Amino acid sequence: MYQPSFDLAQNIKEQYSTPVAVISKPMLEEKVKAMKTAFKKNTKIFYAIKANNNPHIVNVLKNAGIDGIDTVSINEVKLAKKIGFTSDQIIYTGSSCSDSEMTDVHNEGVMLNIGSTSELARFGKIFPNTKVSIRFNPQVGDGETAAVITAGDSTKFGIKASKLDEVKQIVAEHNLIIAGIHCHIGSGFYTTEQFEKAVIRILDQAKDFANLEFIDFGGGFGVQYKKEQTPIDLNDFAASIEKHIAEFNAHNQKEIEVRLEPGKYLVMQACTTLTSVTTIKDEYAIPFVGTDTGMNHIIRPALYGSYHHVENLSKLDGEKQKVNIVGNICESDDFIAEEVEIQTPAEGDLLAVLTTGAYCPTMQSFYNLRAFLPEVLVDEDNSTTLIRKRMNFDEMINQLGFTDF
Ligand code: LLP
């Protein structure tokens, strides 16, 4: 987990003010290397750009060796292309996809990974004789919380095995070529148990498709939120794929390309959000520590009950106190951390909210008309580059196009 020193954090605060997101370039590179090392044989890493779409960050991942980009919208496709990925290095896994978005993605030369028979039939009608990938629901899911599990009976994602005959019928009718098959069981799992079951089920379905070029097992690899937490062992995940793929390849007498789509794993731990304590409310049994960030920047605690470790950088060796750390947003759920032990905070202290690199930046909002977090990339020698500027009032308002003030 990236945690800048107090001196570096203080310099960043002086230069860019708080709240501010600070991203470690070496840690981004380290995560790509870890993935590439664990999953060697014929495995391509397609980064799930929804986790963090800052082009400066994606570019660091690109230079570190990721093979492609997993996208979910036409704008993510366009961004991936602008960053320099070619059409065949991009996959599009939309959901509830309109005909016009399918058309736009197809016209970019990007393969669609389709997760419903409705979308497959509509796509086949518009673009017969075309290569597609199919997203199946392997009926086993896993993830940090129920809200981020994307396989099983209570999810909109993927096609169930019971629809396999219908899939084959649509494919035959429109002469589609199934070039890929895919699943993604959820976000943030720590053991291989469910993942391996999904691998087995998907490989079983893959047998039915003769023209397969790749099999994609999605993302979801869990990250470390607590300092005492043991990190996942990617080698276990590699093993849980490789033995089954080896059998599959032996049966088909050719090597299939394997794809993975990590989002969180590559970017989550590399970012820390620096925030200043603005207000202490001590009339409660557990005091409220008010900060200059909030759920507009870090929505995961309010949305999923997620834990993000907070350190008081101003008093790293200080005594600890149980507190509620809250933001400056007008909502009762505006918690950064609930009932946590932290070095006794005082107004003006500089706090570090760790592991905020994935989904926090992309799920930000302008709620309460507050600007998004600026982002600062920190290099190995601690030099800093501003990679996202804080919008001022005019910039926020101008995008609404109302000029009649
Ligand atoms: N592939 C597909 C098809 C996905 O839907 C996702 C994430 C990924 C890959 C990447 O999953 P990751 O490696 O990042 O876990 N906002 C939630 C996570 C939602 C994930 C959506 N899909 C959170 O903050 O926990």
Side-chain angles (χ1 to χ4, degrees):
M1 297 149 97
Y2 176 58
Q3 180 184 319
S5 67
F6 173 72
D7 287 347
L8 175 60
Q10 189 60 30
N11 284 343
I12 291 173
K13 178 175 175 170
E14 276 158 23
Q15 202 175 342
Y16 306 101
S17 181
T18 59
V20 59
V22 183
I23 301 103
S24 157
K25 185 174 177 222
M27 190 171 284
L28 294 170
E29 291 164 341
E30 188 189 301
K31 295 293 172 189
V32 174
K33 196 168 164 213
M35 275 260 152
K36 298 287 285 180
T37 312
F39 299 95
K40 288 180 275 289
K41 254 186 117 214
N42 231 13
T43 302
K44 298 236 160 108
I45 307 298
F46 276 51
Y47 166 61
I49 199 169
K50 65 176 87 64
N52 188 319
N53 57 28
N54 185 316
H56 299 268
I57 290 174
V58 184
N59 208 37
V60 172
L61 302 177
K62 181 168 182 277
N63 292 335
I66 55 165
D67 302 285
I69 298 287
D70 164 49
T71 64
V72 291
S73 73
I74 179 66
N75 287 337
E76 285 188 354
V77 169
K78 287 182 181 168
L79 179 62
K81 281 198 149 176
K82 260 189 178 300
I83 295 169
F85 291 91
T86 53
S87 305
D88 60 335
Q89 291 177 304
I90 304 170
I91 181 130
Y92 167 87
T93 305
S95 70
S96 311
C97 202
S98 68
D99 291 0
S100 84
E101 181 145 314
M102 281 187 200
T103 303
D104 290 344
V105 172
H106 178 77
N107 289 342
E108 291 286 342
V110 166
M111 192 184 294
L112 283 88
N113 180 35
I114 296 183
S116 76
T117 48
S118 158
E119 287 155 304
L120 188 64
R122 285 187 279 121
F123 180 79
K125 217 167 164 183
I126 314 172
F127 299 110
N129 318 310
T130 308
K131 283 185 184 177
V132 284
S133 169
I134 305 278
R135 176 177 186 167
F136 281 105
N137 176 349
Q139 293 290 115
V140 280
D142 205 355
E144 277 171 44
T145 62
V148 295
I149 293 179
T150 49
D153 273 329
S154 47
T155 169
K156 65 173 179 170
F157 298 107
I159 300 178
K160 282 193 183 179
S162 58
K163 286 262 194 181
L164 199 55
D165 286 342
E166 198 179 324
V167 168
K168 287 181 186 163
Q169 208 181 311
I170 298 167
V171 165
E173 189 180 340
H174 302 294
N175 198 26
L176 293 171
I177 301 132
I178 308 286
I181 111 167
H182 169 279
C183 70
H184 169 73
I185 64 170
S187 186
F189 43 75
Y190 292 86
T191 63
T192 57
E193 210 182 329
Q194 299 295 87
F195 181 78
E196 187 165 359
K197 281 186 199 157
V199 167
I200 294 168
R201 288 196 186 164
I202 288 300
L203 288 177
D204 189 45
Q205 271 157 10
K207 286 197 313 246
D208 286 323
F209 302 105
N211 300 310
L212 274 194
E213 292 168 15
F214 65 87
I215 301 183
D216 187 334
F217 297 117
F221 305 96
V223 302
Q224 216 179 329
Y225 293 103
K226 296 187 175 169
K227 292 194 171 175
E228 64 276 15
Q229 199 178 337
T230 318
I232 61 166
D233 189 345
L234 287 179
N235 294 317
D236 292 345
F237 285 92
S240 75
I241 295 175
E242 269 163 24
K243 62 178 182 233
H244 303 290
I245 282 285
E247 281 169 27
F248 184 84
N249 286 339
H251 183 264
N252 293 319
Q253 302 206 328
K254 63 174 184 196
E255 271 208 29
I256 191 93
E257 176 182 314
V258 176
R259 289 186 186 176
L260 297 172
E261 301 170 339
K264 270 179 191 170
Y265 186 85
L266 297 181
V267 292
M268 186 66 110
Q269 290 181 216
C271 174
T272 290
T273 301
L274 298 178
T275 179
S276 302
V277 176
T278 58
T279 311
I280 304 278
K281 293 192 84 173
D282 59 5
E283 69 269 42
Y284 297 88
I286 301 176
F288 283 99
V289 177
T291 66
D292 60 5
T293 185
M295 66 191 296
N296 54 326
H297 299 144
I298 303 172
I299 201 174
R300 302 186 76 253
L303 195 57
Y304 309 123
S306 306
Y307 177 86
H308 290 269
H309 188 75
V310 185
E311 289 279 345
N312 185 349
L313 296 180
S314 303
K315 308 205 169 79
L316 277 175
D317 298 323
E319 294 271 301
K320 292 198 170 175
Q321 180 190 18
K322 190 185 266 187
V323 296
N324 285 307
I325 302 172
V326 295
N328 56 7
I329 294 298
C330 197
E331 291 278 336
S332 294
D333 256 356
D334 181 28
F335 279 93
I336 300 299
E338 219 170 332
E339 297 191 14
V340 289
E341 297 271 341
I342 182 172
Q343 304 89 341
T344 305
E347 291 177 5
D349 281 357
L350 185 53
L351 307 187
V353 187
L354 306 190
T355 54
T356 50
Y359 301 104
C360 303
T362 43
M363 291 167 81
Q364 289 185 83
S365 75
F366 287 126
Y367 191 37
N368 288 193
L369 215 51
R370 293 190 185 280
F372 286 3
L373 285 175
E375 294 173 22
V376 172
L377 191 65
V378 180
D379 220 319
E380 210 169 341
D381 60 358
N382 279 346
S383 59
T384 61
T385 314
L386 184 67
I387 58 168
R388 179 180 204 151
K389 145 180 185 305
R390 195 191 312 275
M391 272 191 189
N392 61 31
F393 173 76
D394 287 335
E395 287 161 333
M396 282 199 286
I397 293 303
N398 286 346
Q399 66 180 335
L400 302 173
F402 182 83
T403 50
D404 202 13
F405 288 108

